[in-house]
């Protein structure tokens, strides 16, 4: 009887030991068995599909600049940031009523006239850049002269009305801006010519060494030829190789590399009234 009781006790001890060992093994797995949430296998996603369903990621990668507005004037959108050097002013976007830049200066460059009058001025940043552009052209054997820079709303009104009387409104709108929509009023645009003034603001300026130099090198100084020959349907203006506009070096080079005009940059096409 004692032998039987001893055997039963011994068997019970073995059973409890085995059970305890199993519980310990479940509670304390070896390091090779430990898997943290960050180590769990995740589905593989191709790089180009990671943002396919994420609008915020797509917008951050392919954001389109926006031309901000603040109301309308005579059916035209009024720009909210007229002092920005990248502002778009055209047949759709007008400057605020009575807008006048507050930092107009006289750039130290030759003009085809001697008087210190309004159209000799530019905004300070554009004027400094123009001086560098003229110096750069001179180093390349190209002598430039200013023709017409800043133009007030009143001055643009008189010019536009005279063109309408001479050629009719439809024709005038192809080469002259309706008052309030002229880039010259921003103080960031200027018409230039050769130092002799020949073909100043005329179609014969196209193809001259001065025009060719501007088309190639103006972006290096922050300027663009604002109304290119291949963008007439977009800008709504005839080709003007003499009209350059300051937008800053970074944007000027970007537009040149992409072959874009400002309307395309802001996705503001087609321009109303281009035809």
């Amino acid at each position: 009887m004692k032998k039987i009781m001893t055997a039963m006790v011994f068997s019970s001890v073995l059973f409890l030991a085995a059970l305890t060992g199993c519980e310990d093994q479940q509670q304390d797995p070896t390091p090779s068995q430990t898997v943290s949430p960050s180590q769990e296998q995740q589905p593989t996603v191709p790089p180009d599909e990671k943002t396919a369903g994420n609008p915020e990621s797509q917008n951050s990668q392919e954001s389109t600049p926006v031309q901000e507005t603040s109301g309308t004037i005579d059916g035209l959108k009024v720009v909210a940031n007229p002092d920005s050097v990248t502002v778009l002013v055209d047949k759709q976007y007008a400057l605020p009523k009575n807008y006048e830049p507050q930092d107009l200066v006289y750039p130290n460059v030759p003009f085809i006239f001697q008087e210190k009058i309004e159209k000799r001025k530019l905004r300070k940043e554009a004027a400094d850049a123009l001086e560098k552009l003229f110096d750069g052209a001179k180093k390349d054997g190209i002598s430039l002269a200013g023709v017409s820079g800043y133009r007030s709303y009143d001055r643009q009104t008189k010019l536009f009305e005279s063109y309408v009387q001479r050629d009719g409104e439809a024709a005038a709108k192809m080469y002259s801006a309706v008052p309030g929509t002229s880039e010259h009023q921003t103080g960031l645009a200027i018409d230039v010519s050769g130092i002799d003034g020949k073909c100043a603001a005329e179609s014969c300026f196209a193809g001259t060494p001065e025009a060719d130099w501007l088309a190639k090198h103006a972006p290096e100084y922050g300027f663009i030829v604002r109304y290119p020959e291949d963008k007439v349907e977009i800008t709504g203006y005839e080709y003007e190789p003499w009209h350059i506009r300051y937008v800053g070096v970074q944007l000027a080079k970007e537009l040149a590399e992409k072959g874009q005009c400002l309307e395309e940059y802001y996705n503001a096409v087609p321009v109303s009234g281009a035809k």
Side-chain angles (χ1 to χ4, degrees):
M1 185 68 177
K2 289 183 179 180
K3 291 183 178 179
I4 294 175
M5 289 297 294
T6 302
M8 291 178 63
V9 172
F10 182 74
S11 298
S12 298
V13 171
L14 289 177
F15 175 77
L16 290 173
L19 182 60
T20 302
C22 289
E23 290 177 347
D24 290 343
Q25 191 174 27
Q26 290 174 353
Q27 292 174 357
D28 298 305
T30 60
S32 62
Q33 294 173 317
T34 303
V35 180
S36 67
S38 62
Q39 292 174 314
E40 291 180 2
Q41 186 174 1
Q42 300 293 331
T44 303
V45 181
D48 58 347
E49 292 182 9
K50 288 182 178 180
T51 59
N54 189 336
E56 292 183 359
S57 296
Q58 288 178 321
N59 290 338
S60 64
Q61 289 183 343
E62 299 179 0
S63 58
T64 300
V66 176
Q67 171 75 315
E68 297 181 358
T69 59
S70 60
T72 61
I73 294 180
D74 298 329
L76 299 172
K77 301 171 185 176
V78 179
V79 298
N81 54 346
D83 291 324
S84 169
V85 296
T86 62
V87 66
L88 171 62
V89 177
D90 65 2
K91 294 187 176 185
Q92 299 179 97
Y93 296 95
L95 290 163
K97 192 173 182 179
N98 301 320
Y99 173 75
E100 180 180 345
Q102 298 303 303
D103 58 346
L104 293 170
V105 298
Y106 293 104
N108 186 23
V109 299
F111 276 74
I112 61 173
F113 54 86
Q114 298 299 319
E115 301 83 1
K116 268 198 168 183
I117 53 179
E118 176 184 273
K119 65 179 182 178
R120 199 182 184 106
K121 296 180 179 180
L122 281 180
R123 286 185 56 188
K124 181 66 167 60
E125 185 175 342
D128 291 344
L130 186 72
E131 293 174 1
K132 295 176 182 178
L133 182 147
F134 272 47
D135 287 342
K138 194 169 184 179
K139 291 177 181 178
D140 289 340
I142 301 295
S143 297
L144 300 173
V147 176
S148 182
Y150 171 69
R151 193 179 300 157
S152 67
Y153 180 93
D154 290 341
R155 176 59 180 161
Q156 183 65 28
T157 299
K158 293 176 182 177
L159 282 174
F160 183 74
E161 289 177 349
S162 69
Y163 296 145
V164 170
Q165 292 177 2
R166 186 186 70 186
D167 300 324
E169 185 173 347
K173 284 184 175 180
M174 287 301 295
Y175 62 83
S176 182
V178 172
T181 67
S182 172
E183 280 208 327
H184 286 280
Q185 192 180 343
T186 67
L188 299 169
I190 183 170
D191 298 333
V192 297
S193 73
I195 194 67
D196 56 10
K198 291 181 179 179
C199 296
E202 295 182 7
S203 57
C204 58
F205 183 69
T208 63
E210 292 83 2
D212 292 342
W213 188 91
L214 286 171
K216 183 177 181 180
H217 296 286
E220 299 169 13
Y221 302 91
F223 289 87
I224 58 172
V225 175
R226 181 64 178 89
Y227 307 119
E229 188 172 16
D230 61 343
K231 305 293 183 181
V232 174
E233 297 291 330
I234 297 176
T235 64
Y237 288 107
E238 296 176 351
Y239 174 40
E240 295 188 357
W242 59 84
H243 180 110
I244 59 175
R245 157 68 194 277
Y246 182 75
V247 294
V249 174
Q250 181 177 345
L251 180 56
K253 288 184 175 181
E254 179 180 341
L255 293 176
E257 291 171 358
K258 294 181 178 179
Q260 291 183 332
C261 60
L262 269 183
E263 283 78 11
E264 291 172 306
Y265 174 73
Y266 282 111
N267 196 27
V269 293
V271 169
S272 174
K275 278 295 186 181

